[in-house]
Amino acid sequence: MPSDTPSSLLRALDLTGRRFVVTGAGGHLGRAISLELGALGADVLALERSEDGLVPLRTAFETFGGTLTCLRCDLGVESELRAAMARILEEAPVLDGLVHNAAFVGTAAAQGWASSWESQSAELWREALEVNLTAPFILTQGLTGALSASGRGSVVMVGSIYGLTGPDWRLYEGTDLGNPAAYAASKGGLMQMTRWLASTLAPKVRVNAFCPGGIERGQDPAFVERYVARTPMGRMASEADMVGTALYLLSDMSRYVTGQVIAVDGGWTAW
């Protein structure tokens, strides 16, 4: 006899009144996750470096039942991060979830970022690790009490397939795109921090991660064609492909899941 009926499983996705922190909430994926949380009745505390990134999130969120609290914060500046954390705890001394979505991804135009190995910048390496790895450490540490207080706290790390595998350089030939060592190393570190925190914060707080494959955002057509040919699902991803996994890990649907890293990559890492 099953322990759960279909109706109880649907209730596990009801997030009405629950409170979640989402970093990088103004970006493509962060906004998608925040809006889906709102659609399920959750209250979202959104962290974003740019005020411009928060404007469309505020506008879209107005149609949902949950509340949205926007906090501008540069995760690479520890004083700003700690000030935002203090505000979060004032607003929500009890938290149900924390999504580490923000990431330093640089640009192809940044000197020493998406460049040859020999010319990659140590300064940008440090900046990437500060945002992608140190900020999640500080924020999770500071919010552990609030997450524990809910009795069902869930931390979700957003990684990358490049935290799991090395790059296939053939995809990048003849394009301006690159694959910086700092990004890969920071995401790989985040995956191991997921496992460490899961075994440390259990049973009060669960910690999991998901690793997106390449999301199509107008990349060089040659890169897209090669990427698609290498992906069993035959296409690049969209933000909508990622949201279901995030909600699963944040909700009671995954109440016995912790310490796991899920690749959401269309099969990229399967061969």
Side-chain angles (χ1 to χ4, degrees):
M1 189 73 181
S3 59
D4 287 305
T5 64
S7 60
S8 68
L9 290 176
L10 289 174
R11 286 197 298 272
L13 273 174
D14 183 4
L15 303 179
T16 303
R18 298 196 190 186
R19 290 184 162 183
F20 298 89
V21 174
V22 180
T23 70
H28 296 283
L29 182 54
R31 183 164 60 246
I33 293 172
S34 298
L35 292 177
E36 289 294 341
L37 287 170
L40 292 173
D43 300 332
V44 176
L45 294 96
L47 270 63
E48 173 59 46
R49 182 177 64 176
S50 167
E51 179 64 30
D52 292 340
L54 291 170
V55 172
L57 176 61
R58 285 195 186 98
T59 301
F61 207 92
E62 289 175 357
T63 62
F64 301 126
T67 61
L68 177 70
T69 302
C70 293
L71 302 173
R72 201 207 64 79
C73 173
D74 185 339
L75 297 181
V77 179
E78 185 171 342
S79 59
E80 289 192 22
L81 177 58
R82 293 196 179 276
M85 194 158 54
R87 282 279 314 279
I88 290 169
L89 292 173
E90 286 177 10
E91 295 279 343
V94 177
L95 286 171
D96 296 284
L98 167 60
V99 183
H100 292 295
N101 168 72
F104 181 90
V105 295
T107 67
Q111 187 172 3
W113 179 247
S115 57
S116 67
W117 162 242
E118 292 79 8
S119 63
Q120 289 185 26
S121 161
E123 181 180 353
L124 291 177
W125 166 279
R126 294 187 188 96
E127 190 169 349
L129 263 65
E130 194 69 23
V131 174
N132 298 357
L133 196 55
T134 303
F137 166 82
I138 293 172
L139 198 54
T140 305
Q141 186 182 61
L143 298 180
T144 291
L147 290 161
S148 298
S150 74
R152 58 192 173 210
S154 174
V155 177
V156 175
M157 311 286 193
V158 180
S160 166
I161 54 170
Y162 292 121
L164 303 175
T165 68
D168 181 347
W169 291 109
R170 294 170 295 183
L171 274 62
Y172 300 90
E173 292 175 359
T175 76
D176 293 330
L177 301 172
N179 196 304
Y183 182 78
S186 64
K187 291 299 187 178
L190 199 61
M191 298 307 94
Q192 185 55 24
M193 187 161 75
T194 295
R195 300 180 184 98
W196 191 94
L197 286 170
S199 60
T200 302
L201 302 185
K204 291 185 177 180
V205 178
R206 298 182 299 108
V207 186
N208 294 286
F210 72 94
C211 291
I215 297 176
E216 187 166 5
R217 292 178 185 152
Q219 294 95 331
D220 188 300
F223 172 85
V224 174
E225 182 179 356
R226 295 165 190 161
Y227 190 99
V228 167
R230 196 191 181 285
T231 305
M233 289 296 288
R235 63 178 177 85
M236 293 189 75
S238 69
E239 284 77 17
D241 293 318
M242 305 296 150
V243 173
T245 302
L247 294 178
Y248 165 72
L249 293 173
L250 289 168
S251 74
D252 292 344
M253 292 285 286
S254 60
R255 64 192 179 200
Y256 197 59
V257 178
T258 196
Q260 301 306 302
V261 175
I262 303 173
V264 188
D265 62 358
W268 174 273
T269 53
W271 58 11

